[in-house]
Amino acid sequence: MSDVEHLLVRAARAAAEHRRTVGERPITPRRSAEDVRAAFAGPLPEAPTDPDSVLTELLMAADGAITGSVGPRFFGFVIGGALPAASAAEILATGWDQAAYNEALSLAAGAAERAAGAWTKDLLGLPTESSTAFVTGAQAGNTVGLAIGRNELLARAGWDVAHDGLYGAPPVRVVASEERHATVDRALRLLGMGTTSVHPVRAGHDGAIDVDHLGEVLAQNADAPTIVCLQAGNVNTGACDDFDRAVPLARHHDAWVHVDGAFGLWAGASPRHRHLTRGVELADSWGTDAHKWLNVPYDSGLAICRDASAHAAAMSYSAAYLTGSGGTDHVLGDVTPESSRRARGFAVWAALRELGRSGVADLVDRSCAHAQRMAELLTAGGATVYNEVVLNQVLVGFGDLSSTDAVVDAVQRDGTCWVGATTWRGRRLIRISVSNWTTTESDIELSADAILRAAT
Ligand SMILES: *Cc1c(COP(=O)(O)O)cnc(C)c1O
């Protein structure tokens, strides 16, 4: 074997060993941060090191410091697992080292993105004419969607953002729920619109936007160019906005409608849960993650836009596209914020090929059923569940009996499962997200036991 062949096989074996044992090992690193940092630190090497030794050093430095977030009992944030075919495709993407800027650089990467983009739209029930951009995650997906909306609304008002920037432009207001994700605010900061552009709308008890209040906010200053930003899947409760009512209302005010659907958009892939995202296809743009519920390895997300020409006009690399000659036959680099980037389409393609329509529906349904079961077991053990478990998110507390942060600490130290804390409506609570394809009912039982143990 050549050196590179030997090394890639060795790395793949180490990755495979991690996958095989991740469910049996403690989830959190057992080593201190100082120790791990010291293992990686030291002066810049003056001379080359043999690659095989570099891999050995890396494996040793990271040993015991890899968080078991790909394992079946990691319920923090909204962290997806990594499907076998998608993981293998990621290894190939690295081995092939394709740059997905255009199809002269990689015909295969382009074809994989086009196919995976079409499959994603089909699965989620989004308009077939939409353009799809493969980005790092929902943060980037939201940034791209809001950028397209900003440029398109200002173009309608006679202002060319691509040419003239935002200085002196008419202000664009962003009407968004008080429960919007923080990535929406960061996108607005990055896009030069600032967070004062946000006109907040109240959310109901479940975290979904209050559509009556949305109507009231829209009616104030009704002539301003307006982006309405909705949400599929509140990060705390899993609640989805009522798109069927909210989107037509926004349309009535000529607003651009963007949907942050990081994980919730995937409810549309399940016949059993599809009602939650009914009407979401009426929006103009969508941001979503593949690395959450689809279980594609990090990082992977999509920006999807109904108006492919507006998409290319806003994100274009080459001035030719500024005229908006896009269409779904775009140059890959004309719909993403990056120029050169890794070929993310292979892994998304592989995940969708591995699961198929029924497999994605099953993954969504299973995760939701596990979340329900977790809620039942914790309630039976004396905890209080604070959300209606409509999707894969569970909010739990122990009242005054135990402080949430102390329970979370104890759970993390115990190592059976991993949960984090969140603040919901002024209350500190444990947030549990079931998003991993490997999680079984027995993982849920073991984890509920561990959480209840930690609370006493
Ligand atoms: C996770 C999440 C995001 C951000 O996604 P990244 O993958 O971190 O870029 C945005 N919105 C919601 C609702 C999320 O759950």
Side-chain angles (χ1 to χ4, degrees), residues 28 86 99 165 198-199 204 208 223 254 373 405 437:
T28 37
V198 176
H199 296 237
D223 294 334
D254 295 325
R373 180 79 182 129
D405 289 293
W437 71 281

Side-chain angles (χ1 to χ4, degrees), residues 24 59 119 144-145 176 179 249 288 302 312 369 452:
E24 298 148 25
L59 289 169
W119 288 351
V144 169
E179 278 296 334
L249 193 58
T288 191
L302 284 107
L452 293 169

Side-chain angles (χ1 to χ4, degrees), residues 78 136-140 142 181 183 231-235 260-263 289 291-292 298:
V78 186
T136 49
Q139 168 75 75
N142 289 338
H181 195 266
T183 50
Q231 182 170 255
N234 177 286
V235 74
D260 172 6
F263 62 98
D289 275 312
H291 55 220
K292 283 181 178 170
Y298 282 87

Side-chain angles (χ1 to χ4, degrees), residues 372-422:
Q372 290 280 357
R373 180 79 182 129
M374 179 72 96
E376 278 163 27
L377 290 169
L378 292 175
T379 306
T384 306
V385 171
Y386 286 85
N387 67 320
E388 192 192 333
V389 182
V390 290
L391 223 52
N392 58 330
Q393 307 291 106
V394 188
L395 281 176
V396 199
F398 288 89
D400 296 333
L401 295 175
S402 319
S403 110
T404 290
D405 289 293
V407 178
V408 163
D409 263 5
V411 171
Q412 292 180 3
R413 257 183 289 113
D414 168 78
T416 304
C417 70
W418 202 99
V419 295
T422 187

